[in-house]
């Protein structure tokens, strides 16, 4: 549990397989108006795996999810805060909630992190268009390879209409974005992916894409094998 007993309290689900294997962490609900991410994460938290460990925080920012808003006034001072801009690389996270989440991430020696989001625009539209159907990797480890593989896997197997094909990028990890993904890459040298569906697609379709992406990562890591 993160922020136990407070309005921000949110559970951390741990799914453990019998066999030895990697630890994959999945985060949803950083933004409260992105149900594809938090509904997918809730489904993933109910998976059974054979090996390794799956750690899932379905609703990272409960106050924002409760309101259905991207941002929330967590400090109670009238200012809206974006949880995914509170993770500066090399420094302490900015808020108690961000520190609580970071403690889980940093304590558990994770091998891979997926942060699940959705966007009102498509990444391929370019600057200011949004980041939907975008997969964004850290520079660390295998993240970029996994990003490319996920792109092909989803585009070939799930998407007929070219408009909705996934594209993506690998971003630097200088901490300038203050995102959880950046901090995981920069501070822990652990591969991480930020996954964005397009909110113009149905919720069901977005959840299929999101859960399939996470499933693919876990399957390739042998988590469904003994
Ligand atoms: Zn988001």
């Amino acid at each position: 549990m993160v922020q136990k007993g407070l309005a921000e309290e949110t559970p951390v689900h741990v799914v453990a397989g019998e066999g030895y294997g990697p630890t994959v962490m999945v985060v949803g609900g950083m933004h409260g108006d992105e149900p594809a991410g938090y509904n997918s994460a809730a489904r993933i938290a109910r998976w059974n795996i054979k090996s390794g460990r799956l750690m899932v925080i379905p609703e990272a920012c409960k106050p924002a999810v409760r309101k259905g808003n991207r941002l929330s006034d967590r400090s109670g001072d009238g200012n809206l805060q974006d949880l995914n801009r509170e993770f500066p690389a090399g420094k302490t996270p900015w808020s108690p909630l961000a520190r609580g989440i970071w403690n889980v991430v940093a304590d558990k020696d994770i091998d891979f992190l997926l942060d699940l989001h959705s966007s009102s625009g498509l990444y391929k539209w370019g600057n200011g268009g949004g980041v939907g159907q975008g997969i964004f990797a850290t520079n660390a480890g295998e993240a970029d390879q996994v990003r490319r593989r996920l792109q092909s896997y989803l585009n070939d197997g799930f998407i007929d209409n070219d408009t909705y094909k996934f594209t993506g990028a690998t971003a630097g990890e200088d901490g300038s974005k203050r995102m959880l993904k950046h901090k995981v890459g920069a501070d822990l040298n652990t591969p991480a992916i930020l996954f964005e569906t397009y909110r113009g697609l149905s919720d069901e379709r977005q959840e299929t894409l999101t859960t399939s992406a996470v499933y693919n990562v876990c399957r390739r890591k042998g988590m469904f094998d003994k």
Side-chain angles (χ1 to χ4, degrees), residues 50 169 179 217:
K50 298 244 171 76
M179 293 180 188
V217 170

Side-chain angles (χ1 to χ4, degrees), residues 29-34 70 82 84-85 115-119 131 194-196 199:
M30 281 271 199
H31 297 133
D33 60 346
E34 301 178 7
R70 177 182 172 88
D82 185 337
N84 205 25
R85 298 293 183 279
D115 186 10
L116 309 179
H117 291 254
S118 62
S119 174
V131 285
L194 189 145
F195 187 83
E196 297 264 6
R199 277 181 245 161

Side-chain angles (χ1 to χ4, degrees), residues 179-208:
M179 293 180 188
L180 175 62
K181 174 199 76 165
H182 282 260
K183 190 169 175 64
V184 167
D187 291 10
L188 306 177
N189 197 30
T190 294
I193 274 182
L194 189 145
F195 187 83
E196 297 264 6
T197 55
Y198 172 49
R199 277 181 245 161
L201 299 173
S202 71
D203 286 352
E204 193 189 328
R205 189 111 182 85
Q206 292 178 67
E207 283 173 38
T208 299

Side-chain angles (χ1 to χ4, degrees), residues 27 48-49 58 104-105 183 194:
V27 179
N48 287 308
I49 58 168
V104 175
V105 174
K183 190 169 175 64
L194 189 145

